[in-house]
Amino acid sequence: MVELSSYLFPATQGVFCIIICIIWLIGFFRHRNFGFILLGFVVLAEAVTALVRQALLNYVIYHQPNLSATERTTFFGTISMVLLGIYVFYWIVGSLGAVLVVFHRTESNSQAVQRPPIS
């Protein structure tokens, strides 16, 4: 039961990430901005990564009782460093998506407005 309860936080986080991703996909369909797609995919990938991280940690903690403390520490360090690299990639892609959203020019702003001449 302890193992299953350790999945509660990542699963809750995953549900909220899916909701945020749906909102950003709606933003993409309304504004046709590629940044919303990047943000949506990053949020979904982060939610899946959180669940995978918890599954790996639970596997080492609960299903490998014959590992020594040194071996467990090595596994935790390896898992942490690999996932840190993945999260840094997510941050870069998320930052790119945010920049694309912020600096997106709509069609109404990109067309020059013609004013009649003042006589």
Side-chain angles (χ1 to χ4, degrees), residues 8-79:
L8 185 61
F9 177 72
T12 306
Q13 181 182 6
V15 169
F16 285 112
C17 287
I18 289 172
I19 292 169
I20 292 171
C21 180
I22 290 170
I23 291 169
W24 276 336
L25 287 177
I26 291 169
F28 169 73
F29 290 123
R30 290 192 64 194
H31 300 288
R32 300 284 186 230
N33 188 343
F34 187 66
F36 285 110
I37 291 286
L38 285 177
L39 289 172
F41 285 139
V42 165
V43 168
L44 279 179
E46 194 276 328
V48 170
T49 305
L51 287 172
V52 168
R53 180 193 69 220
Q54 192 61 46
L56 288 172
L57 294 178
N58 283 351
Y59 178 75
V60 171
I61 292 170
Y62 296 112
H63 300 289
Q64 295 294 326
N66 55 350
L67 293 178
S68 68
T70 306
E71 291 171 328
R72 284 181 195 242
T73 304
T74 303
F75 279 128
F76 288 148
T78 304
I79 291 168

Side-chain angles (χ1 to χ4, degrees), residues 84-112:
L84 177 64
I86 291 171
Y87 278 115
V88 167
F89 175 72
Y90 291 162
W91 294 332
I92 292 171
V93 173
S95 300
L96 176 64
V99 166
L100 288 174
V101 168
V102 168
F103 292 115
H104 178 70
R105 298 177 76 186
T106 61
E107 284 100 26
S108 63
N109 290 342
S110 62
Q111 297 173 353

